[in-house]
Amino acid sequence: MFPAPRRHLRALLLALGCLAASLSLAAADDPPREALHGSRVEQRAMALLERAVAHVEAKGEAGTAAFNHGPAFIDHDLYAYALKTDGTFLASGGDSAALVGQNVLKEVDLNGKSFFREIIEQAKAFGAGRVEYRWFNPADARGEPKVAVFRAVGEIIVAAGYYPPRATPMQARVLLRDAAKAMASNPAAALEHFQRLDGAFIRDDLYVFVVRLSDGTFLAHGATPALVGTNSYELVGPDGTHVVRRMAELARDSAEGESDYAWRNPATGTVEKKHTYFKIVGDTLVAVGYYRR
């Protein structure tokens, strides 16, 4: 049996950045953040995984057949699936149903990655995990980054997959608006909130970062907390651009602005084009960006 007690799954929720419902700082007549962001797909996937794992724990391997047609294991575009540690694909409520009965150890994604093998290796080593791969998305007829979250139940691996959501320009602007208000009201509390995985200012691929203008020091960074305390002006993006230094230079002529550059998307793990909006609040630059499709 693999080490996969329920407390491990709850810990995995936090490690995966499954972010809880937000603390609204917007005025009553402002657009509500929840309406702009919609549901959190990763949270739905983890809830589906919980149900599927509990079912297999109770019914064993025979219980995986319910994934093929059971409505309890299909949530709109999300579905549960199962495979064995020897690579045998057992069941699926989605388009991967075509793999049922096959050995998927040699199956690869659109980039040639043996993601099923990676899922099995992680399940054997840790009892649960998360694997990113690129898969055909039937919703828009193209290949897109996808994430599988999974847990081992004996020799069975129960999984659910989802396509990481993409934020829109409006969502980024709304989050920046709220972040700027928070910084103006209570900077110390705001900086703490910006880095809480279970807080209001990290959602899917959106997050806030704050820089002290006088010396470029990162005061907060929702995606990479390790950057806090380092000099943002020395930070160079994958395309060779001094990303934050350029924002600070643009901010000299205005209290706000926007900038384009390349950056790693925490939701997909790949370098993508990013467009960031920023505002000057006191002696800080507060910024939020979104990743272009």
Side-chain angles (χ1 to χ4, degrees), residues 36-264:
L36 294 173
H37 288 276
S39 63
R40 291 180 173 179
V41 65
E42 187 170 17
Q43 188 174 30
R44 288 168 50 214
M46 294 304 296
L48 176 59
L49 180 60
E50 283 269 18
R51 294 197 301 273
V53 165
H55 181 75
V56 173
E57 287 176 335
K59 304 293 186 179
E61 182 176 334
T64 64
F67 298 170
N68 293 324
H69 50 74
F73 307 109
I74 299 174
D75 178 3
H76 299 286
D77 57 333
L78 305 183
Y79 55 88
Y81 61 93
L83 63 156
K84 298 186 70 172
T85 54
D86 65 1
T88 302
F89 201 80
L90 297 174
S92 171
D95 58 327
S96 58
L99 298 173
V100 172
Q102 299 181 31
N103 189 293
V104 294
L105 286 177
K106 295 183 179 181
E107 187 77 22
V108 297
D109 72 354
L110 295 177
N111 290 335
K113 179 178 181 178
S114 299
F115 65 99
F116 281 126
R117 183 180 293 275
E118 187 172 335
I119 288 173
I120 291 170
E121 290 173 351
Q122 282 195 28
K124 286 181 176 179
F126 308 110
R130 178 183 193 273
V131 166
E132 297 175 358
Y133 56 102
R134 198 167 189 87
W135 200 246
F136 179 80
N137 187 347
D140 58 12
R142 64 179 181 179
E144 291 205 7
K146 192 171 186 180
V147 176
V149 288
F150 52 89
R151 179 177 165 190
V153 181
E155 300 297 319
I156 301 168
I157 301 169
V158 182
Y162 65 93
Y163 294 94
R166 298 292 186 121
T168 66
M170 180 173 64
Q171 291 168 344
R173 289 194 295 268
V174 168
L175 189 60
L176 176 60
R177 175 202 66 192
D178 293 347
K181 287 181 179 180
M183 279 294 291
S185 175
N186 188 333
L191 292 173
E192 179 185 357
H193 285 309
F194 294 161
Q195 296 190 183
R196 289 184 181 176
L197 287 179
D198 61 346
F201 295 98
I202 300 177
R203 181 180 293 271
D204 301 323
D205 59 354
L206 284 184
Y207 57 88
V208 179
F209 67 86
V210 181
V211 169
R212 187 163 56 217
L213 288 169
S214 60
D215 59 7
T217 301
F218 272 115
L219 301 180
H221 198 292
T224 313
L227 288 175
V228 174
T230 65
N231 189 341
S232 68
Y233 293 165
E234 297 177 354
L235 192 64
V236 178
D239 59 356
T241 302
H242 283 83
V243 175
V244 183
R245 181 187 298 175
R246 183 169 182 271
M247 291 183 198
E249 292 170 350
L250 292 171
R252 291 174 183 170
D253 300 325
S254 175
E256 60 184 16
E258 49 193 277
S259 179
D260 288 296
Y261 54 96
W263 201 251
R264 180 182 178 276

